[in-house]
Amino acid sequence: MLKKNIIRYVLFLIPPVFVAFFLIVPLAFTIVISFWERVGFRVRPAFTLNSYIDFFYGVRLLVLERSFLVSVEATIISLLIAYPIAYFLAARVRTALGRNVLLLFTIPFLVNYIIRTFSWTYLLGRTGPVNEVLVNLGLASSPLDWLLYSDFAVLLGLVTSYMPFMIFPLWLSLSRIDPQMIEASWLLGANPVRSFLKITLPLSVPGIFASVIFGFVGCFGESAVPIILGGVGYQLMGNTITSAMDVLNYPLAAAMSSVVVGSMVLLLLLWYFAFDMRSFLGKILS
Amino acid sequence: MSKTNVWNTLNWGYILLVLIFLYVPLIPPILFSLSGSGGSFSLKDITLRWYTDLWNQSLLITSTRTTLILGMITAVVSPLLGLLATMAVRELRVPRLILMIILLPLFIPGVSMGLATAFFFKQLTINTSYWTIGIVHIVWALPFATLIILTAMTTYDPILTEAAFMLGSNRWRAFYTVELPLIWPGIFGAGLFSVILSFNETLRTSLVQGPLNTVQTYIWSKYLQVGLSPEIYALMSLLIILTLILVGTLIVAQKRVGKTRAA
Amino acid sequence: MNSLRNFTACWVYNLARRREVSMGFSKERRDFLKASVAAGTALTISGWGFDSLLAASNKTLTFADIGVGDPGGDWSKFTKQTGWAVNLVAIGNAPSTILNVLIAGGGLKTYDMMNIVGGLQKPLVENDLIAEIDTSQIPNWQKNSYIQQYLAPGTPGFDFIGYKNKIYGVPTVLQGDSFAYLPDVTGPLDSYGALFDPKWKGYVALEDNYTTAGQKTALYLKKNKLADIKDPSNMTPGELKTVIDFLIEKKKEGQFRVIWTGFEQAVNLLMNKEVYVMDCWEPMVFVARNKGLNVLYADPKEGYLLWAMAAYIVNAPDRTAEKTKAVYELLNFMLGPWYGARITEMRGYMTNPQAAEYAKTHPDEFSAEEAKKVAEISDGVKRKFDKGGTWQNRWPAHVEEYESEWARFKAVRGS
């Protein structure tokens, strides 16, 4: 009996140990590097805050701000688009059909996302189809410049990249809600809107959380979309870190990376302490 | 038309609109793959030449193979580990800590993860291979897989497993026959997600790939240095068509099974 | 009590089974999935085995290239001559990518040679990543008058292949850069000033690279006496700041549509007439012209941005003498006539003096058109080198200043 339990425990511990070994240790190493100093091309173990000072007092801080703002915007927009879809497919449509429609959402991802993002430059350009249609229909007097190489384009690229990802956890969460509970609430006199706000929405919070994490972190670390669709010199954290590495300034890259990771971990901790896990993990923890 | 019908139509219309939006970027590559000049598209110049030329591009073919292999590895290992992780969260006494560790890769920008892992492997003098890239992909996909399986599990009532257990089957059999089928959509979803993630992974991979190219890193380097060739567009178009056929068959097969069961 | 428990358990169990069936996961589908997983695993294992087999076959040279040095995958001539196969691997051109791959990505063990834009000797040599080249083992080196002419020791060109007076790189490709423009829209242009001309406001693109775009701007400012810059290829922080301030001013005025980062993107910008004037590489012009666009590469009065590609020998720890000999043979091959002609024809760069002659005298391998193209390109580039300009500096002394100043340019909010 004990032997069986040990086997189970060992098995259960594999995933966390796997991640700890292949991620936490390397990351800790990165943090250590951020304190090292540079000697020519090499880095030498030391303890200096130079890299952090460089980062916080330099122009790159603007990029951090921008990454944060853009990620929040993109995530909120994606959520607002994805939720109704997930709700409709989960609540009003047969499971089988819902699953198939979801599959349709995943097909675009089998086309390399660089090619997909790049297609937008073709579509949104000054001489591209969208502008042609707009001008022909008289909706615009001349081709719109702000469709491409602008904040708008980057948001568009981010939303089309991450929104489909976000539908899936929302759908999973919503489709598990027992319709009897909604019926009960109707029977008790609440109108559909109230039932939604008081019952469906709170119960779908686990799904919302999962999808927000997907969206926000994904956008934050993006480096291809800003390059392909962004305006003059538009960059997010992924780009600055890479460009710091380009001149072998590993401590600076490590410092920026650690700041990003640090702030994300802060968010994670916030969730850990503020959010009652029981409601999320539900009956799993019984 | 009843109110529900109006609502339904509106919803379907909305979904259709969003789908169109998502599929529109797929059109230019398909057009380019058919275009004679391989660049701009004109109706006068249609050719299937690139689809045959494609097979001569050895780098492209080997990259595709690497991607497929990695996809397989990730699709099998990630949901497995995700399932173990979910069970760990459920059974061990520190669920939040475990969850935090598992979800950590989500918060790491691709470039840091790639670099950190690369240095790490070098310290351990591990050579690059399908498995080193696979590890990076698995670590990246694991939190997604876990979250999906976890979400699928939130409304699964363990009393069902208990019931089976009480009926005399051992723990594993109880799990296999009762719980697994019910959370299977979650596991399948996790597997699908992992494949998609692995397939789209560019930045992390490029730092640990050594001499092995995936389709993503190959396309990225071509995009930067010499431009995308029509053969690449042809490959992508083939993929789209293949997937559409696959999905179509899946849907039709499902309907068939439904019919036989009803009959 | 017992029977009640049993009954509940039974009922619950059946409920579960029924739900399972209604989930639609029929036996057929489960079998299908099982089969595909099995197939996938088999594929994985076989792929793994296959590649170990490939690695074991030891008559292959692994060659990292940025895409320019790839003669369409056709190394048959080389293999026939020497019996060695060539395995080309794509690699990015950024210094960090290269260093990362070599230092951390196991590149030292896997690559035998690297063909990238030269000028990176300093970081590579100081990190012990490349080996000095013994030119006496490369017969085609002596025949290459370009090396004597343009890359002699003491001249800035040498910095593309040598370091501290030793040779580390074999110059496989030579080129001079300026900018592209659409003559139908702008008329003839002959100065970098076009990039900053308010007439084309919003229709100009620059490359996201301070060693090209930045240096060309510096060349422009210096030659037109708009700024006091001694040497555009190695600016002091002060001079650099002037250049960047100038660029920022232009950015705020909305002069630039975008800063491009990829070949494909650059070609696209021209093809879609998204921009009219663009700082870019000549091959983009070739590709665009091939697709039917009327675009020209400028001949600016300030001169060109000159550069060369260098093939380096990677310092692999335990390479056999036999393999090293094969590497030298490959280097010789790449300085040879057939390779030169093929690369010139495919990519539009100048390679070596024997290329044009070879293309003309081998009509079975190069059509008359192709031979003409090779000759024209070679002549064109020679003219550029004779005209001069400034040699691109891939690793300036104050490279970090360059990087942070360029970051400043990028971070500033445009109009």
Side-chain angles (χ1 to χ4, degrees):
Chain A
M1 196 57 212
L2 184 65
K3 186 164 151 216
K4 266 206 172 149
N5 268 343
I6 291 186
I7 297 181
R8 288 180 71 226
Y9 274 111
V10 163
L11 273 180
F12 289 160
L13 280 178
I14 291 179
V17 167
F18 185 77
V19 173
F21 186 63
F22 285 111
L23 186 62
I24 298 186
V25 169
L27 281 180
F29 189 47
T30 314
I31 298 182
V32 167
I33 294 181
S34 71
F35 291 114
W36 286 2
E37 61 179 2
R38 307 184 59 203
V39 176
F41 293 115
R42 300 184 182 276
V43 281
R44 188 173 57 194
F47 190 83
T48 162
L49 290 175
N50 277 341
S51 313
Y52 288 95
I53 297 177
D54 269 344
F55 178 41
F56 284 111
Y57 285 97
V59 283
R60 291 181 232 260
L61 198 60
L62 289 172
V63 179
L64 185 65
E65 277 173 39
R66 181 186 261 173
S67 304
F68 185 73
L69 282 172
V70 166
S71 303
V72 168
E73 282 169 21
T75 313
I76 293 181
I77 296 178
S78 304
L79 193 61
L80 289 175
I81 298 181
Y83 198 93
I85 300 180
Y87 180 73
F88 181 62
L89 289 177
R92 300 262 181 272
V93 164
R94 289 186 334 273
T95 325
L97 180 60
R99 258 210 306 275
N100 289 331
V101 174
L102 276 183
L103 271 178
L104 283 181
F105 275 98
T106 58
I107 291 178
F109 281 89
L110 291 170
V111 175
N112 182 273
Y113 97 110
I114 290 167
I115 292 185
R116 260 186 293 132
T117 315
F118 190 66
S119 284
W120 283 113
T121 54
Y122 174 72
L123 293 168
L124 296 173
R126 285 167 171 147
T127 55
V130 172
N131 267 318
E132 257 186 67
V133 166
L134 285 176
V135 169
N136 280 341
L137 287 183
L139 290 168
S141 51
S142 68
L144 296 173
D145 274 352
W146 54 263
L147 284 181
L148 189 57
Y149 303 129
S150 59
D151 293 345
F152 170 77
V154 173
L155 266 178
L156 180 70
L158 289 175
V159 168
T160 47
S161 296
Y162 292 100
M163 190 272 295
F165 270 76
M166 291 167 69
I167 300 182
F168 199 70
L170 286 172
W171 177 81
L172 264 181
S173 176
L174 283 166
S175 60
R176 299 266 162 225
I177 296 180
D178 193 343
Q180 291 184 331
M181 282 201 263
I182 319 254
E183 282 176 23
S185 131
W186 286 352
L187 285 173
L188 286 172
N191 62 40
V193 174
R194 247 187 119 203
S195 309
F196 174 76
L197 286 175
K198 289 262 177 205
I199 305 222
T200 318
L201 193 57
L203 282 176
S204 65
V205 164
I208 295 183
F209 225 90
S211 60
V212 161
I213 294 176
F214 289 6
F216 182 73
V217 180
C219 293
F220 209 91
E222 252 303 326
S223 52
V225 169
I227 288 185
I228 300 177
L229 295 174
V232 182
Y234 192 106
Q235 41 176 356
L236 298 180
M237 283 314 286
N239 308 116
T240 36
I241 294 180
T242 323
S243 70
M245 290 206 306
D246 263 355
V247 286
L248 307 182
N249 197 343
Y250 294 123
L252 181 58
M256 289 197 281
S257 167
S258 306
V259 168
V260 170
V261 169
S263 32
M264 297 295 187
V265 168
L266 257 157
L267 286 174
L268 184 58
L269 285 176
L270 206 75
W271 177 46
Y272 184 89
F273 287 118
F275 196 19
D276 187 355
M277 283 292 266
R278 254 188 292 270
S279 68
F280 176 57
L281 294 170
K283 302 183 197 131
I284 298 183
L285 281 187
S286 69
Chain B
M1 247 203 310
S2 75
K3 189 160 170 227
T4 349
N5 272 350
V6 170
W7 231 181
N8 272 357
T9 328
L10 276 176
N11 271 314
W12 279 120
Y14 174 63
I15 290 185
L16 198 65
L17 203 68
V18 174
L19 275 176
I20 290 179
F21 214 70
L22 290 176
Y23 275 77
V24 154
L26 299 183
I27 299 179
I30 300 183
L31 291 181
F32 290 151
S33 72
L34 294 171
S35 133
S37 66
S40 43
F41 180 74
S42 67
L43 281 167
K44 320 171 204 133
D45 197 4
I46 299 198
T47 169
L48 286 176
R49 168 159 57 118
W50 310 115
Y51 287 88
T52 43
D53 274 357
L54 164 60
W55 306 106
N56 294 333
Q57 302 264 324
S58 55
L59 270 184
L60 191 57
I61 301 293
T62 43
S63 312
T64 315
R65 203 179 53 133
T66 315
T67 306
L68 284 174
I69 293 180
L70 284 174
M72 287 290 162
I73 297 180
T74 321
V76 168
V77 178
S78 300
L80 205 70
L81 286 183
L83 190 62
L84 283 177
T86 325
M87 297 201 315
V89 164
R90 185 171 66 180
E91 311 259 347
L92 298 179
R93 251 169 303 223
V94 278
R96 300 203 283 176
L97 180 63
I98 296 196
L99 202 58
M100 235 175 46
I101 297 180
I102 302 280
L103 292 185
L104 192 57
L106 277 184
F107 298 92
I108 315 299
V111 65
S112 328
M113 186 168 165
L115 192 68
T117 327
F119 270 118
F120 185 62
F121 283 143
K122 201 225 168 200
Q123 288 294 95
L124 301 179
T125 56
I126 298 177
N127 276 335
T128 55
S129 70
Y130 290 121
W131 289 106
T132 56
I133 312 181
I135 287 177
V136 171
H137 283 210
I138 292 171
V139 171
W140 170 234
L142 185 58
F144 295 89
T146 313
L147 273 179
I148 292 178
I149 298 182
L150 207 59
T151 325
M153 256 212 207
T154 48
T155 43
Y156 172 75
D157 197 337
I159 200 169
L160 296 173
T161 328
E162 285 303 308
F165 190 50
M166 283 193 287
L167 282 174
S169 58
N170 62 39
R171 278 210 179 270
W172 289 109
R173 214 168 146 239
F175 170 75
Y176 185 71
T177 44
V178 179
E179 183 162 354
L180 192 58
L182 287 177
I183 56 175
W184 180 248
I187 299 185
F188 185 70
L192 191 62
F193 231 80
S194 306
V195 168
I196 293 176
L197 284 172
S198 160
F199 209 84
N200 273 292
E201 195 9 72
T202 317
L203 196 46
R204 277 157 250 253
T205 319
S206 64
L207 290 168
V208 292
Q209 68 176 18
L212 297 167
N213 271 317
T214 60
V215 177
Q216 274 62 256
T217 56
Y218 177 73
I219 290 181
W220 187 230
S221 73
K222 278 252 167 287
Y223 169 83
L224 290 175
Q225 294 300 140
V226 290
L228 299 173
S229 60
E231 288 94 344
I232 293 182
Y233 289 127
L235 179 67
M236 291 296 140
S237 312
L238 272 180
L239 260 172
I240 299 176
I241 298 173
L242 254 139
T243 327
L244 282 172
I245 295 180
L246 200 71
V247 168
T249 337
L250 222 68
I251 296 181
V252 167
Q254 225 183 0
K255 287 225 164 83
R256 284 265 202 87
V257 168
K259 281 209 187 96
T260 17
R261 197 163 286 127
Chain C
M1 196 51 220
N2 229 10
S3 63
L4 181 63
R5 198 185 70 176
N6 272 342
F7 172 77
T8 327
C10 260
W11 176 75
V12 165
Y13 189 61
N14 272 307
L15 193 68
R17 280 244 86 137
R18 250 182 273 146
R19 277 183 77 181
E20 171 213 2
V21 164
S22 73
M23 280 281 149
F25 276 90
S26 58
K27 187 168 185 309
E28 293 89 334
R29 181 184 285 193
R30 284 210 303 272
D31 285 337
F32 172 74
L33 285 166
K34 274 189 220 157
S36 40
V37 167
T41 325
L43 187 69
T44 310
I45 296 179
S46 72
W48 188 24
F50 183 71
D51 272 297
S52 340
L53 217 68
L54 191 65
S57 86
N58 45 17
K59 283 215 133 194
T60 313
L61 294 176
T62 312
F63 172 39
D65 171 73
I66 61 174
V68 172
D70 180 6
D74 182 12
W75 297 97
S76 54
K77 273 200 179 291
F78 178 72
T79 315
K80 241 188 295 187
Q81 262 180 287
T82 61
W84 283 79
V86 177
N87 176 27
L88 192 112
V89 176
I91 194 179
N93 198 26
S96 73
T97 321
I98 296 172
L99 282 149
N100 287 333
V101 163
L102 287 179
I103 298 180
L108 281 182
K109 288 225 179 87
T110 15
Y111 301 128
D112 298 303
M113 266 173 56
M114 257 187 347
N115 193 23
I116 57 177
V117 177
L120 282 183
Q121 290 81 247
K122 183 153 193 251
L124 289 174
V125 171
E126 296 209 351
N127 275 304
D128 221 6
L129 299 171
I130 55 178
E132 195 187 338
I133 292 196
D134 179 10
T135 58
S136 65
Q137 293 197 42
I138 308 179
N140 277 325
W141 183 281
Q142 320 307 332
K143 299 193 199 150
N144 195 326
S145 56
Y146 296 158
I147 302 184
Q148 272 73 289
Q149 253 181 303
Y150 306 122
L151 304 165
T155 66
F158 186 71
D159 287 334
F160 271 87
I161 55 173
Y163 183 60
K164 293 200 173 136
N165 269 316
K166 303 203 198 129
I167 306 251
Y168 287 95
V170 172
T172 48
V173 156
L174 293 166
Q175 176 64 321
D177 281 356
S178 63
F179 65 93
Y181 64 97
L182 302 175
D184 297 333
V185 179
T186 64
L189 296 173
D190 67 348
S191 160
Y192 291 107
L195 291 168
F196 312 113
D197 192 342
K199 253 195 295 191
W200 320 122
K201 193 193 299 216
Y203 285 85
V204 174
L206 295 181
E207 183 185 350
D208 184 1
N209 185 334
Y210 43 86
T211 62
T212 54
Q215 208 167 330
K216 286 179 197 169
T217 315
L219 181 67
Y220 163 74
L221 292 175
K222 175 190 163 100
K223 291 280 172 136
N224 288 288
K225 307 235 185 335
L226 294 168
D228 189 10
I229 298 174
K230 289 206 187 50
D231 181 3
S233 67
N234 221 331
M235 295 187 267
T236 66
E239 294 170 342
L240 187 57
K241 190 167 177 305
T242 325
V243 174
I244 297 293
D245 284 340
F246 172 75
L247 284 173
I248 289 183
E249 207 189 295
K250 290 293 166 188
K251 176 178 177 182
K252 289 205 179 135
E253 291 171 10
Q255 179 73 13
F256 311 119
R257 177 71 167 140
V258 71
I259 306 184
W260 62 266
T261 42
F263 192 104
E264 186 68 28
Q265 184 179 25
V267 173
N268 217 44
L269 287 169
L270 289 173
M271 293 298 303
N272 292 338
K273 302 213 176 75
E274 194 77 21
V275 297
Y276 302 146
V277 186
M278 187 167 78
D279 149 43
C280 66
W281 321 331
E282 193 163 13
M284 287 144 185
V285 171
F286 291 134
V287 170
R289 290 186 75 84
N290 256 349
K291 296 188 185 183
L293 182 70
N294 185 15
V295 54
L296 291 178
Y297 206 53
D299 181 18
K301 51 183 202 256
E302 295 94 353
Y304 293 88
L305 186 71
L306 308 167
W307 58 272
M309 273 190 64
Y312 297 116
I313 301 184
V314 172
N315 230 353
D318 28 51
R319 190 175 26 230
T320 63
E322 197 197 348
K323 201 171 208 190
T324 313
K325 184 159 167 296
V327 169
Y328 270 98
E329 287 184 346
L330 184 58
L331 286 172
N332 194 39
F333 178 73
M334 285 166 72
L335 275 187
W338 178 84
Y339 182 81
R342 186 113 305 270
I343 296 293
T344 306
E345 193 271 319
M346 285 182 81
R347 312 279 176 213
Y349 296 118
M350 178 169 88
T351 46
N352 61 64
Q354 304 172 61
E357 188 60 38
Y358 186 90
K360 225 183 345 177
T361 54
H362 287 77
D364 49 322
E365 294 170 11
F366 294 93
S367 72
E369 241 183 74
E370 289 171 345
K372 184 157 155 272
K373 181 177 172 190
V374 172
E376 275 175 8
I377 293 176
S378 301
D379 285 335
V381 178
K382 256 184 279 178
R383 253 180 300 141
K384 290 183 191 171
F385 272 79
D386 291 333
K387 183 162 187 177
T390 176
W391 276 88
Q392 181 190 14
N393 191 343
R394 289 254 282 164
W395 201 265
H398 298 274
V399 68
E400 278 190 53
E401 276 293 315
Y402 274 71
E403 206 268 320
S404 56
E405 279 296 293
W406 192 253
R408 186 165 70 94
F409 168 57
K410 290 209 282 189
V412 161
R413 271 295 196 174
S415 53

